[in-house]
Amino acid sequence: MPATMVAEHVSSAGLPEPSVSVEDLSNGERTVALYASDLPDGYRYKRGDEAHLVAWIVQGVNRVGLDRLRRIAALEAGYRRCRARKRATAEQKRAHAERFPNPTRDRRAGELAALVTLFVPVNDEARERGLRFLLDGPCPACHDTRQVWACWAVDVDADWYEEGYGPCSLCGGAA
């Protein structure tokens, strides 16, 4: 069962501060935190609202929890990777819709998370973590074998191609 972002919104007053700063969050993690926060659905950024956005990110981290936030962000990155290659399965689409039932809010949270990067940069560790992804279910391209059979170009100018197994381009291939 995939994790879901549907949660009852409660006041963040009295909650402990997270053990991570906004700088320590990848852009995907910031997106999940904004989605889970009390960010108004019709919110439009105005100059000087940086503190509000940071507070909503902190609230989302407190609400979801850092480990769960990172897992959901990795699953979201995997879904976006499959969707961009037109390989998203029905299972992945369903899991994404369960985690993010409001597509407009999901898109807006991503836009605002990117905006936050202008005034709160992402540190190197978080940037590296943001490149990692998880998939709901097996890889749709290789079914978790991490390799695919194809015709591989060795030298295009010489018209030299070889058939055989190579690394899967969707899930990262043999590591």
Side-chain angles (χ1 to χ4, degrees):
M1 170 103 180
T4 180
M5 291 302 302
V6 178
E8 185 175 325
H9 290 280
V10 295
S11 173
S12 63
L15 290 176
E17 285 297 311
S19 60
V20 65
S21 72
V22 175
E23 265 186 3
D24 296 333
L25 298 173
S26 70
N27 210 37
E29 293 163 352
R30 293 174 183 191
T31 300
V32 174
L34 281 169
Y35 188 93
S37 73
D38 286 338
L39 172 75
D41 283 338
Y43 172 77
R44 292 182 55 115
Y45 173 79
K46 293 181 280 316
R47 192 170 20 182
D49 279 356
E50 292 86 5
H52 291 296
L53 288 171
V54 168
W56 281 320
I57 290 172
V58 169
Q59 180 188 46
V61 171
N62 281 329
R63 188 169 282 163
V64 176
L66 191 56
D67 291 338
R68 185 167 175 237
L69 179 98
R70 286 183 174 159
R71 178 167 171 69
I72 292 169
L75 287 166
E76 173 68 2
Y79 172 74
R80 283 194 321 270
R81 185 179 185 101
C82 289
R83 191 184 68 204
R85 290 172 173 81
K86 298 188 184 335
R87 297 300 301 257
T89 64
E91 177 185 357
Q92 290 169 333
K93 291 175 184 176
R94 180 194 49 74
H96 173 76
E98 283 181 19
R99 280 191 295 272
F100 300 96
N102 185 339
T104 304
R105 183 175 178 84
D106 181 26
R107 188 192 83 249
R108 188 64 180 143
E111 292 168 352
L112 292 170
L115 180 69
V116 169
T117 306
L118 294 174
F119 51 86
V120 181
V122 177
N123 68 26
D124 292 338
E125 182 182 328
R127 189 175 301 112
E128 181 69 29
R129 196 175 48 254
L131 298 176
R132 298 183 198 137
F133 64 92
L134 295 173
L135 298 175
D136 289 300
C139 174
C142 70
H143 303 288
D144 288 345
T145 62
R146 302 187 64 76
Q147 57 186 0
V148 292
W149 184 271
C151 184
W152 305 95
V154 177
D155 186 354
V156 178
D157 295 331
D159 201 28
W160 180 18
Y161 297 89
E162 294 286 333
E163 268 189 57
Y165 285 104
C168 177
S169 64
L170 186 61
C171 69

